[in-house]
Amino acid sequence: MAITEARRFVTALLAAWPGIEDAELIVSELATNAVRHSASGRFGGCFTVAVQADHDRIWLGILDQGGRRTPQPLPPQTDEEGGRGLALVAALAASWGVTGDDQGRIVWATLNLTPEKTAVR
Ligand SMILES: Nc1ncnc2c1ncn2[C@@H]1O[C@H](COP(=O)(O)OP(=O)(O)OP(=O)(O)O)[C@@H](O)[C@H]1O
Ligand SMILES: [Mg+2]
């Protein structure tokens, strides 16, 4: 499944990177969203995972095929109906955002490598 492959791609690429768990979670949420909420989820659709890793910072981007909906965190909900993915990404990421339009969007997030994370390895 493409979402599993997207996560494995990040896992393999960032094997030695101390922030890898957060990176895996973010890429899973964003890839799931691309398939569930954008035109990438149509038959024959696709999405692209882009990673830029620096020594102290990582940039993750999921490029989708656009569509009518717009990525936006939903207000906190008390039930189990979802709407938590982007709120989780926003909480984990140092920064995040969306570019593009209905023809294709990039939802991106950055993670900083903090000294505490370095110290536990
Ligand atoms: N790539 C995307 N393209 C278009 N709309 C998006 C995209 N990602 C998210 N959205 C919109 O933003 C909303 C919030 O996304 P979020 O990931 O927070 O919740 P969810 O996917 O509905 O539920 P959950 O992630 O908790 O299973 C979605 O319901 C959808 O309408
Ligand atoms: Mg989601």
Side-chain angles (χ1 to χ4, degrees), residues 29 33-34 36-38 64 69-72 74 82-86:
E29 288 297 335
N33 280 352
R36 278 179 50 195
H37 304 305
S38 87
D64 67 35
R69 292 201 215 169
T70 311
Q72 49 190 3
L74 302 175
R84 295 195 180 85
L86 285 177

Side-chain angles (χ1 to χ4, degrees), residues 31-48:
T32 303
N33 280 352
V35 171
R36 278 179 50 195
H37 304 305
S38 87
S40 298
R42 293 181 308 198
F43 181 75
C46 66
F47 65 86
T48 302

Side-chain angles (χ1 to χ4, degrees), residues 1-4 6-7 25-38 40-41 47 62 85:
M1 187 182 199
I3 294 159
T4 310
R7 197 185 60 242
L25 232 159
I26 287 172
V27 94
S28 295
E29 288 297 335
L30 297 185
T32 303
N33 280 352
V35 171
R36 278 179 50 195
H37 304 305
S38 87
S40 298
F47 65 86
I62 305 291

